Amino acid sequence: MTTSKIVLVTGAGTGLGRAITHALTAAGHRVVVVGRTVATLDEAVASAPGPGGAEPFQADVTDPAAVDALFAWIVERFGRLDVLLNNAGIFGPSKPIDEVAVEDWKQVIDINLTGSFLCAQAAFRQMRTQDPQGGRIINNGSISAHTPRPHTVAYAASKHAITGLTKALSLEGRAHNIAAGQIDIGNAATELTAGIAAGSLQADGSIRPEPTIDAADVARLIAQQVELPLSTNVPFLTVMANAMPYIGRG
């Protein structure tokens, strides 16, 4: 029997975040869905299946004050946080490295990396001090945390950095019953990856469509991680479309 947990999912209004939310509520968990757009958050909550439930909270994860307000609300509402899933992220512009504007670089790093750090920091602080102590932090990495696509310097750099964040959280979390891991996803079918399915720049300069996988399959894997005891961790998990170009990117 599943023990209901309090789970925070960032970037939960659409795409993979919404699929994860629905997998978790279907398993009986209480999910706080966070994003910047109220309408999509409300849609994600309204369509979430039982027996669990979802509640929306509008917040910009790059804003330290907004993150503090989010975690204060969670503690007031539920008394604790069991799982954080850092899912919010953007691709940024697809351009050669020498054409990427500094402003675009900063936006990708701010959302993908700094936002994940702020939420992980707040979650770590809460999990370390709550009773019973501990919790789980899962960062959404990417295949690009291992091997970049052409013309995605900011995204690739941010996702490589997420791996360092995951390792630091895992190392420091051991003493406080906090398990930290990362899921690296390749071509889950969402609005974010629609262009990849239509045709994506390859390492050899060609443009070819790539296979995708159902986001619900990824969500089920994450739901399984959420239900693991804190004595068990999955430091890194890679899930991808079987025929996508990844090993060697060709």
Side-chain angles (χ1 to χ4, degrees), residues 30-244:
R30 298 291 300 177
V31 183
V32 178
V33 294
V34 175
R36 292 181 293 181
T37 306
V38 172
T40 57
L41 294 177
D42 288 344
E43 290 170 5
V45 169
S47 56
E55 297 190 35
F57 194 100
Q58 182 188 25
D60 179 352
V61 296
T62 70
D63 179 353
V67 172
D68 287 345
L70 164 63
F71 278 82
W73 179 84
I74 290 172
V75 174
E76 180 180 2
R77 177 76 176 84
F78 300 105
R80 65 180 291 110
L81 176 68
D82 296 302
V83 181
L84 163 66
L85 177 63
N86 268 324
N87 175 68
I90 62 171
F91 273 137
S94 179
K95 294 181 179 179
I97 187 170
D98 57 329
E99 296 178 11
V100 175
V102 173
E103 293 76 13
D104 291 333
W105 164 273
K106 289 182 176 179
Q107 182 186 39
V108 173
I109 297 300
D110 210 23
I111 294 173
N112 294 5
L113 180 57
T114 304
S116 294
F117 162 73
L118 291 173
C119 289
Q121 182 184 53
F124 195 101
R125 185 180 296 121
Q126 173 59 30
M127 292 171 178
R128 184 178 66 178
T129 58
Q130 63 193 9
D131 185 19
Q133 186 188 58
R136 187 178 303 277
I137 298 171
I138 304 172
N139 292 324
N140 185 344
S142 171
I143 294 296
S144 290
H146 302 269
T147 306
R149 291 181 176 277
H151 297 178
T152 60
V153 60
Y155 184 77
S158 71
K159 292 303 184 177
H160 275 69
I162 285 292
T163 299
L165 175 64
T166 300
K167 290 179 178 179
L169 289 167
S170 181
L171 176 62
E172 296 191 34
R174 295 173 189 168
H176 309 291
N177 205 29
I178 298 171
Q182 180 171 316
I183 183 165
D184 295 319
I185 304 163
N187 290 6
T190 67
E191 298 93 330
L192 199 64
T193 58
I196 290 172
S200 181
L201 179 64
Q202 304 297 311
D204 63 2
S206 65
I207 295 178
R208 297 195 300 272
E210 295 184 13
T212 59
I213 53 175
D214 193 331
D217 292 334
V218 178
R220 284 202 300 273
L221 286 173
I222 293 173
Q224 290 174 356
Q225 288 181 268
V226 166
E227 294 178 5
L228 289 172
L230 293 178
S231 58
T232 302
N233 191 25
V234 181
F236 294 96
L237 172 66
T238 301
V239 56
M240 54 177 271
N242 186 46
M244 73 168 288

